[in-house]
Amino acid sequence: ARLEDINRGQLTRFLAQDFFANALFMGAVAILPLIVLSIAGGTGNAYYYIALTITLALEALVANAGMSLTVESAFAQERLRGLARVVLQRALMLMVPCSLILIVGAPVILSPFGQDYVQEATPLLRLFGLTVIFRTFIIIFQYVSRSRGRGRSLLVADVCNFILLIGLTLVLTPEYGLVGAGVAWLIANAII
């Protein structure tokens, strides 16, 4: 489609929905460590943050594949379904082993940070590692939605994820500590 053929109202609506969806996820990622900080203190937050950082770094690999999907489908919209299937399969071929490495190898991965991190952050990194699989599906869904111009789908998914992440973290962390925060991350993403 030529630029002149694009409905500006639809484009503006889509961009606003996509922007707010991204802002909600980034907001959750920024708020969650603050919630953990207020409940588990600075030391607990350090354990939480390193596990989250490792996990988000892996998710960036899937996001890069999703960006490629968006670019390719822009040139061949009719191929989006097939392209999405291939990207999802390849992302899972990478993320399933990465998930297993995080789950099994968490103590080794955390060992450069010291024994306290190994002891305190291992259960959390294992929970986040399991969540990588769910996040792979979510991220590919987001890029397919972008390719189809479905901003509302993006916004609904991220509003629900934001509410679940924040709500479950506030409920589970005081009772179960860092494991509760990890379970909140797992449940919210599994539901989405």
Side-chain angles (χ1 to χ4, degrees):
R2 296 179 325 185
L3 190 57
E4 306 85 47
D5 297 335
I6 296 174
N7 179 314
R8 289 184 187 185
Q10 288 175 327
L11 179 62
T12 301
R13 196 168 27 260
F14 169 77
L15 290 174
Q17 292 166 335
D18 188 32
F19 172 80
F20 286 114
N22 276 312
L24 283 169
F25 180 72
M26 296 306 292
V29 169
I31 291 169
L32 290 172
L34 297 175
I35 292 171
V36 171
L37 175 65
S38 70
I39 296 169
T43 304
N45 189 48
Y47 303 138
Y48 179 85
Y49 202 74
I50 195 65
L52 182 62
T53 301
I54 291 167
T55 306
L56 292 176
L58 283 176
E59 289 181 14
L61 297 171
V62 179
N64 286 329
M67 285 185 230
S68 297
L69 170 65
T70 302
V71 170
E72 287 297 319
S73 67
F75 295 108
Q77 187 68 34
E78 68 280 355
R79 293 183 47 220
L80 177 59
R81 182 181 298 258
L83 290 169
R85 189 176 304 117
V86 168
V87 169
L88 179 61
Q89 288 171 347
R90 290 182 181 168
L92 287 171
M93 284 174 52
L94 178 63
M95 289 298 114
V96 168
C98 286
S99 175
L100 291 172
I101 289 169
L102 288 179
I103 293 167
V104 175
V108 174
I109 294 166
L110 293 166
S111 65
F113 302 100
Q115 190 56 38
D116 289 344
Y117 279 85
V118 172
Q119 184 175 341
E120 300 297 327
T122 291
L124 185 60
L125 186 56
R126 285 178 170 156
L127 287 165
F128 285 170
L130 182 57
T131 306
V132 165
I133 303 301
F134 297 111
R135 292 286 308 148
T136 299
F137 283 98
I138 292 168
I139 291 167
I140 299 302
F141 163 80
Q142 289 170 329
Y143 281 99
V144 168
S145 294
R146 280 188 188 99
S147 296
R148 291 183 173 161
R150 294 185 178 161
R152 185 176 299 154
S153 297
L154 292 166
L155 188 56
V156 168
D158 280 326
V159 164
C160 293
N161 203 12
F162 182 87
I163 291 168
L164 287 168
L165 281 171
I166 301 301
L168 289 169
T169 301
L170 285 168
V171 169
L172 296 175
T173 306
E175 183 72 25
Y176 302 104
L178 294 179
V179 170
V183 169
W185 184 262
L186 176 61
I187 290 171
N189 285 287
I191 288 172
I192 298 303

